[in-house]
Amino acid sequence: MHPVTLLLGIHNHQPVGNFAHVFRKAYDRCYRPFLDLLERHPHVRLTLHYTGPLLEWFEQEEPTFLDRLAKLVMANQVEILGGGFYEPILSVIPDRDAVGQVTLLSRWLHRRLGATPRGLWLAERAWEGLLPKKLAPTGLRYTILDDSHFVQAGLDPGSLSGYYLTEKEGHPLAIFPISKDLRYLIPFRVPEDVIGLLARLGERGSEVAVTYADDGEKFGLWPDTYQWVYEEGYLERLFAALEHESSWLRLQTFGEYLDAHPPTGRVYLPAASYEELMEWALPVPAAKALEERRAELDLAGRLAAFQPFLRGGFWDGFLLKYSEANHMHKRMLDVSARVAQAFPSGTDVPEPVRLVWRAQGNDAYWHGLFGGLYLNYLRHETYRNLIEAETRVETTAHQGREWLTMRGTDLDLDGHEEIVISSRSLGVILAPACGGSLLELDYRPRCFNLSDVLTRREEAYHGKLVEGAMRTGSSGGAPASIHDQLRVKEQGLDQVLRYDRHRRVSFLDRFLSPAISWEAFDRIDDEERGDCASGVYHAESERPASQEEVLTVPMAYQGTVSLDGRTYTLSLHKVYRVTKHDPAVEVAYAIANQAAVPCAVRFGVELNLTLLAGNDPQRYYEMPDRGRVRLHERGQCPATDRFSMVDEWSRLRVILCLEGPGEIWYMPIETVSRSEEGIERTYQGSALLASWLLTLQPGASERVKVRLEIADF
């Protein structure tokens, strides 16, 4: 048997903004026990990666963990990988931020652990061909990617060994290919299976080096793995088996192997990530089609032959799949540019720059197996950092004085201009081309994006809900990978599924049948009788009117309403009004019937707002004569001119004021999404509809005014 070199890499990460109890659980059930075993097996040599949020938590909560890790580095048992400090997708952030984040982590590791990283972990193994050039200033020499990247470049997965060199414009980077076979064996199959695979590699006729690199959370934090990995002794047995086969099996770190061996060859790789993520990045119809083709080929016994040519999309596809992810990403790019201009970085990283870097953590921007984008607290933390960074830019620019500014820009890079309004208390983004709506409403004193409500969408796995049964725990033995499980956290989730045809934004203009009741609010897109919600509004003047204390933005749209077999032509004018000192957005409407006959209609203004938690007693609706109602409930408040959402935790109140009494309907926006714990229901925000029964006479206008106020308490 020829010698086999096993290169082990473990990536450990918790997102920016994750709950403190999750960090603690991960430490107790995963990171600490893994290190305990590693210390007891000094001949097991490997490479570890910890992201910045984890390292900061260790330093604050468990500094002795870092001391222990430093000793392993000093003993040359462990190599430490670098990477982006806050785990960004490096290819989709500005070069200055990518280099800055990687440099920050390298310096942190050197200061605290005495480690000088030689290579880096790419978040989600998201590769693009420009990365060698982008990363050249960091001085790092290698990274680690899945073997599927190489297969898509035409290489034979069975012959991959060691590392390969790529380059961009003369900037080289070494890449180690991760064995998919090992990634699916560890820790989900017994150690004997792992040793058997490695032994077969040693019988190929030449020396071989194989890479395993994957998430550390598989060792204790993924469902059922703690019992298997630690209580039933899997990891102890694996380490012992690796040590026992030392006569032919060598354990090395990546940097050590790089120094001692030439590259296996050269390679140029396509934009890609690991296979599962590329499937998740596809639009739902394409993802379903890919799954169907694979099933057909598998049934015909031809899947293995075609597998190298079947692939999904790549990470950037999430920015197309989810408009909210794209909006958040483009907000990040905009704030990053403004911060870089206002706070140039040197050796020290200015706090506004660090805030932007925190907002670049990848987890909140996409969704697959993990909750990601669907977890409102992760999106909230991203926006919190962006809003605070942007506020510091504005405060510095205006030298601490009050301000009220407006600019027009294609913020979302969708070919349509948005209007961005800023004051000390508010950040407002209006989208004339998206139903004349309000895309974003930031309350700056609390760094809170109140409009961050996720649209309810179909996901490819929704169709499997009817097949799923509640699974409450493990029956013992090796756990199944969470890629192969279907867990449902509550029964009947298939009955909760609802899909929206419009983005969950605010000040959407709705025309409904006069006979409709509040029970139909959940299917308002089906009940809609007008076309304003999807209309492209026209900003009536070249530059919205701005005075020193008040800014107004007039918009107009000519649309149609279809009721009782008749189509009416209506003109709608709406004027947004924001003042310098008042944390409020006011919208005045004028609706004119251009038809020759009267039009009886229910006109509604839809708002979608979030206070993050639907069933928290500290977050609730406050209604005249009704008292408190929790945000996960639904109903109506008839004939009122005032309606509030209260957040005692954040100490703020959002007040909806109507110039004339109207009905207010309310309901939760709940999504059904997958996480590592199972398919679950998540509160995303609350939908409100303020509405009035109007009889629009020919040639006459009806006027309505809606005001949204924010107040501390």
Side-chain angles (χ1 to χ4, degrees), residues 22-81:
V22 176
F23 278 83
R24 172 55 63 186
K25 179 181 178 182
Y27 175 79
D28 290 340
R29 299 178 67 86
C30 182
Y31 308 133
R32 179 188 51 76
F34 189 95
L35 209 65
D36 291 344
L37 275 177
L38 196 58
E39 288 173 332
R40 296 204 297 267
H41 292 270
H43 298 294
V44 173
R45 303 180 64 240
L46 47 70
T47 303
L48 295 175
H49 176 246
Y50 298 92
T51 59
L54 258 182
L55 293 170
E56 290 178 328
W57 187 88
F58 292 147
E59 189 163 48
Q60 180 176 345
E61 302 292 334
E62 296 288 346
T64 57
F65 181 87
L66 295 175
D67 297 335
R68 295 168 62 193
L69 193 56
K71 289 180 181 179
L72 294 173
V73 172
M74 181 70 68
N76 201 31
Q77 184 181 355
V78 165
E79 177 187 5
I80 299 293
L81 274 175

Side-chain angles (χ1 to χ4, degrees), residues 38-284:
L38 196 58
E39 288 173 332
R40 296 204 297 267
H41 292 270
H43 298 294
V44 173
R45 303 180 64 240
L46 47 70
T47 303
L48 295 175
H49 176 246
Y50 298 92
T51 59
L54 258 182
L55 293 170
E56 290 178 328
W57 187 88
F58 292 147
E59 189 163 48
Q60 180 176 345
E61 302 292 334
E62 296 288 346
T64 57
F65 181 87
L66 295 175
D67 297 335
R68 295 168 62 193
L69 193 56
K71 289 180 181 179
L72 294 173
V73 172
M74 181 70 68
N76 201 31
Q77 184 181 355
V78 165
E79 177 187 5
I80 299 293
L81 274 175
F85 194 92
Y86 292 107
E87 194 71 351
I89 302 296
L90 291 173
S91 60
V92 300
I93 66 174
D95 289 3
R96 63 177 175 274
D97 294 334
V99 172
Q101 287 221 40
V102 173
T103 302
L104 176 63
L105 183 55
S106 294
R107 289 174 177 169
W108 198 101
L109 294 170
H110 183 72
R111 172 186 64 81
R112 187 61 179 83
L113 301 179
T116 301
R118 308 275 306 285
L120 79 158
W121 181 267
L122 283 180
E124 305 308 324
R125 282 105 76 190
W127 172 262
E128 286 196 6
L130 287 172
L131 281 172
K133 180 183 179 183
K134 189 170 194 170
L135 295 170
T138 70
L140 299 184
R141 294 182 56 196
Y142 73 85
T143 191
I144 311 165
L145 297 174
D146 287 57
D147 55 9
S148 57
H149 290 68
F150 293 78
V151 171
Q152 290 159 22
L155 278 71
D156 176 12
S159 65
L160 295 176
S161 176
Y163 68 92
Y164 296 75
L165 278 183
T166 191
E167 59 80 30
K168 191 64 178 181
E169 296 184 26
H171 298 284
L173 190 68
I175 304 176
F176 289 86
I178 301 169
S179 165
K180 181 180 179 180
D181 290 337
L182 274 181
R183 189 162 67 89
Y184 276 67
L185 284 177
I186 302 174
F188 306 112
R189 297 293 181 267
V190 294
E192 291 77 10
D193 290 348
V194 176
I195 298 300
L197 172 64
L198 297 173
R200 289 191 295 275
L201 293 176
E203 296 169 353
R204 293 197 320 191
S206 61
E207 185 175 344
V208 66
V210 60
T211 290
Y212 169 85
D214 211 344
D215 297 343
E217 291 74 25
K218 287 183 173 182
F219 299 89
L221 198 59
W222 281 20
D224 302 333
T225 57
Y226 181 78
Q227 177 183 350
W228 168 248
V229 170
Y230 298 113
E231 292 181 344
E232 298 182 21
Y234 166 84
L235 191 58
E236 181 87 59
R237 298 198 311 274
L238 176 64
F239 282 176
L242 295 176
E243 290 172 321
H244 183 263
E245 304 297 337
S246 60
S247 62
W248 60 272
L249 180 61
R250 294 193 295 252
L251 298 176
Q252 288 188 315
T253 66
F254 294 102
E256 183 181 20
Y257 186 89
L258 188 73
D259 289 340
H261 296 82
T264 304
R266 295 171 57 245
V267 72
Y268 292 95
L269 302 176
S273 181
Y274 54 91
E275 286 187 16
E276 296 91 349
L277 184 143
M278 293 194 294
E279 295 171 18
W280 300 331
L282 288 172
V284 170

Side-chain angles (χ1 to χ4, degrees), residues 288-348:
K288 288 181 176 180
L290 179 60
E291 185 175 10
E292 290 168 359
R293 299 295 86 74
R294 279 193 173 137
E296 291 170 1
L297 290 168
D298 191 27
L299 188 63
R302 306 177 67 191
L303 181 58
F306 281 87
Q307 186 65 47
F309 309 103
L310 297 173
R311 60 162 290 169
F314 57 107
W315 192 90
D316 303 57
F318 293 111
L319 304 180
L320 290 174
K321 189 173 182 178
Y322 303 107
S323 54
E324 297 88 352
N326 182 62
H327 179 82
M328 192 160 52
H329 177 255
K330 301 311 181 290
R331 284 278 283 126
M332 177 273 293
L333 294 179
D334 182 68
V335 175
S336 173
R338 299 179 71 199
V339 165
Q341 185 175 15
F343 301 96
S345 292
T347 304
D348 296 326

Side-chain angles (χ1 to χ4, degrees), residues 426 428 438 441 507 576-578 583-587 706-708:
L426 290 184
V428 176
L438 183 150
L441 177 62
F507 293 103
Y576 286 90
R577 185 176 184 270
V578 179
V585 176
E586 184 177 279
V587 183
V706 178
R707 178 180 172 86
L708 199 61

Side-chain angles (χ1 to χ4, degrees), residues 410-448:
D410 182 7
L411 186 69
D412 287 348
L413 297 179
D414 60 356
H416 299 284
E417 187 172 87
E418 285 77 45
I419 298 167
V420 182
I421 300 169
S422 173
S423 71
R424 180 182 289 278
S425 60
L426 290 184
V428 176
I429 300 176
L430 305 178
C434 183
S437 65
L438 183 150
L439 281 185
E440 184 172 335
L441 177 62
D442 300 329
Y443 184 54
R444 287 186 160 156
R446 298 287 186 268
C447 295
F448 202 131

